[in-house]
């Protein structure tokens, strides 16, 4: 069912969609209700982590003695990807032992290498979708006043063929697509519109007196800045993948300082001089990490192992095991600082690097002095 939720993106008004994770959770709710009550609703409404309610029509409905199944069609909104329009299925089976077990079926990839959201051997159903599926199943059990548990299997038959069009094979996810989404909602991304929105954010911040801007690529960086660094988000600007545009515009506008808080994976690209961090435009994360590990004394075997790592998290674990983590990060931060400073002209600039598993990792030399500007009343001085 079409999601009628729109957001302004630059000069455009674009329609949002919903993620494969939302589809899986809605299908799980429908299958559970059908199994537990014998009545299948035409559609279910679920509340996404973004706070937006999605009403999803149920398709391919069927039921057996101790199971029920249905599907929800993926809606990419104005930002369709390869999964737009495919069916995400959920099959619910009674579980006398209680509890809720979530499994992956046909077309859902399986993790084969460490460092991803799920451990090796698990279905590539990420943490947020798993929480959503569990919550919807628990709600269905409570509404039906049933005390048994459920095994819910999520599948996406079209995902077998689509997986080759995603980054999953490179990441070590085999056999299908991933069930993803941190907010449950797909926000449309038009490059020109996003850059226009970025400029508008900086204009508005400058107009209200802000001269020290805090920049993150997206929600992960903003959450880390607030919860782990204790920063105010009053002067926050989201640059998405367009860091170069953001620095150029902020410097030209006359901002005094620019503090970037980002996942190390993106910053390792910038340390190699790539200021558009979109995966379709640039990568080089492993090449950057390998270079700085070698500059820090890493032997050939270590560098080869690093090159084979499919995620930044896995590479960090390898560096720590080799006793090279601190030296490599220091070298990387030096290169990052040089590229940022050259791009920023006279504007003071610094960066803070983190990852989800390792937390705060490193800062460029001038970043620590910028942190107090985004605490308390100082951020708009």
């Amino acid at each position: 069912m079409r999601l009628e939720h729109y957001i302004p993106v630059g000069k455009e008004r674009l329609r949002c969609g919903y993620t494969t994770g939302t589809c899986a959770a809605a299908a799980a709710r429908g299958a559970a209700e059908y199994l537990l009550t014998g009545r299948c609703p035409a559609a279910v409404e679920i509340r996404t982590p973004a706070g937006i309610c999605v009403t999803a029509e149920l398709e391919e409905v069927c039921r057996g003695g101790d199971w029920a199944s249905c599907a929800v069609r993926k809606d990419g909104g104005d930002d369709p990807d390869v999964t737009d329009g495919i069916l995400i299925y959920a099959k619910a089976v009674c579980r006398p032992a209680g509890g809720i077990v979530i499994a992956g079926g046909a077309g859902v990839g399986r993790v084969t290498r460490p460092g991803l959201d799920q451990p090796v051997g698990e279905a590539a159903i990420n943490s947020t979708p798993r929480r959503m599926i569990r919550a919807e199943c628990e709600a269905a059990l409570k509404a039906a006043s049933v005390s048994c548990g459920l095994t819910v299997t999520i599948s996406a038959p079209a995902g077998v063929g689509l997986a080759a069009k995603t980054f999953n094979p490179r990441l070590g996810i085999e056999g299908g697509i991933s069930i993803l989404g941190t907010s449950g909602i797909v926000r449309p991304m038009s490059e020109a519109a996003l850059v226009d929105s970025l400029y508008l954010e900086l204009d508005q911040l400058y107009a209200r007196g802000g001269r020290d801007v805090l920049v993150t690529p997206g929600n992960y960086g903003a959450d880390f800045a607030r919860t782990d660094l204790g920063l105010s988000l009053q002067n926050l600007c989201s640059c998405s993948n367009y860091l170069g545009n953001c620095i150029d515009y902020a410097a030209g506008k006359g901002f005094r300082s620019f503090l970037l808080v980002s996942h190390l994976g993106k910053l390792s690209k910038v340390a190699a001089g790539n200021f558009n961090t979109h995966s379709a435009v640039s990568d080089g994360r492993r090449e950057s990490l390998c270079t700085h590990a070698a500059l820090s004394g890493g032997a050939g075997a270590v560098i080869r192992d690093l090159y084979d790592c499919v995620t930044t998290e896995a590479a960090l674990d390898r560096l720590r095991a080799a006793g090279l983590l601190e030296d490599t990060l220091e070298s990387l931060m030096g290169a990052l600082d040089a590229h940022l400073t050259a791009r920023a002209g006279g504007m003071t600039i610094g960066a803070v690097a983190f990852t989800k598993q390792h937390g705060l990792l490193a800062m460029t030399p001038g970043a620590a002095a910028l942190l107090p500007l985004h605490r308390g009343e100082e951020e708009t001085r």
Side-chain angles (χ1 to χ4, degrees):
M1 187 172 291
R2 180 183 169 100
L3 177 64
E4 297 297 336
H5 182 82
Y6 295 82
I7 59 171
V9 181
K11 298 181 178 69
E12 302 178 59
R13 185 170 178 264
L14 301 180
R15 188 175 69 86
C16 295
Y18 41 84
T19 63
T20 50
T22 293
C23 294
R29 179 62 180 266
E33 285 192 14
Y34 192 17
L35 174 65
L36 298 170
T37 68
R39 300 182 301 275
C40 184
V44 296
E45 181 179 272
I46 68 170
R47 189 173 184 85
T48 64
I52 298 169
C53 290
V54 168
T55 301
E57 184 178 353
L58 302 182
E59 303 183 34
E60 303 285 327
V61 176
C62 54
R63 188 172 188 270
D66 66 344
W67 61 271
S69 175
C70 63
V72 168
R73 192 171 298 276
K74 169 74 181 326
D75 176 13
D78 285 332
D79 185 40
D81 60 16
V82 296
T83 64
D84 186 49
I86 72 168
L87 289 171
I88 307 295
Y89 291 78
K91 179 180 180 181
V93 179
C94 288
R95 180 178 167 82
I100 295 170
V101 174
I102 300 169
V108 173
R110 194 155 296 276
V111 177
T112 66
R113 300 181 191 173
L116 299 174
D117 182 89
Q118 294 297 305
V120 171
E122 282 293 333
I125 304 172
N126 278 11
S127 300
T128 298
R130 285 178 182 271
R131 287 194 294 271
M132 294 172 68
I133 294 166
R134 186 175 301 278
E136 294 302 327
C137 289
E138 289 172 347
L141 286 165
K142 183 177 180 181
S145 299
V146 175
S147 59
C148 74
L150 293 171
T151 295
V152 179
T153 302
I154 305 300
S155 59
V160 176
L162 291 176
K165 299 180 181 180
T166 72
F167 281 99
N168 277 9
R170 288 173 54 187
L171 295 174
I173 298 173
E174 298 180 357
I177 62 170
S178 300
I179 304 299
L180 301 169
T182 56
S183 69
I185 296 297
V186 175
R187 296 185 179 274
M189 295 178 67
S190 155
E191 181 168 341
L194 278 171
V195 172
D196 284 344
S197 290
L198 165 60
Y199 294 162
L200 179 60
E201 277 192 74
L202 290 170
D203 285 341
Q204 291 175 331
L205 173 55
Y206 195 88
R208 68 173 187 260
R211 296 296 182 269
D212 304 296
V213 61
L214 171 65
V215 177
T216 69
N219 292 333
Y220 277 135
D223 290 343
F224 184 83
R226 183 183 64 249
T227 59
D228 292 69
L229 299 178
L231 303 184
S232 165
L233 302 187
Q234 182 172 338
N235 284 355
L236 176 70
C237 177
S238 176
C239 69
S240 184
N241 290 301
Y242 308 106
L243 176 61
N245 298 80
C246 189
I247 294 173
D248 294 345
Y249 196 81
K253 190 77 179 176
F255 281 89
R256 267 190 313 248
S257 71
F258 187 110
L259 177 61
L260 174 64
V261 178
S262 176
H263 190 282
L264 181 67
K266 283 190 179 292
L267 293 184
S268 64
K269 298 181 184 183
V270 184
N274 298 318
F275 282 88
N276 182 330
T277 58
H278 196 289
S279 57
V281 176
S282 68
D283 195 352
R285 291 168 296 170
R286 63 181 181 179
E287 290 82 0
S288 188
L289 288 169
C290 285
T291 295
H292 291 283
L295 290 172
S296 301
V302 173
I303 305 304
R304 283 192 293 273
D305 284 349
L306 278 180
Y307 193 79
D308 289 337
C309 291
V310 296
T311 67
T312 304
E313 300 282 9
L316 292 174
D317 288 338
R318 185 67 187 91
L319 286 168
R320 177 172 282 127
L324 291 169
L325 182 59
E326 291 185 5
D327 289 344
T328 300
L329 289 175
E330 182 178 357
S331 178
L332 185 72
M333 289 297 107
L336 173 63
D337 184 57
H339 283 293
L340 290 175
T341 300
R343 188 80 182 230
M347 181 176 63
T348 303
I349 193 165
V352 177
F354 73 93
T355 68
K356 184 176 179 181
Q357 291 181 18
H358 293 82
L360 176 63
L361 286 166
M363 301 185 191
T364 57
L370 299 180
L371 294 175
L373 301 178
H374 299 279
R375 293 190 177 118
E377 297 179 353
E378 290 190 70
E379 71 257 356
T380 55
R381 64 179 178 82

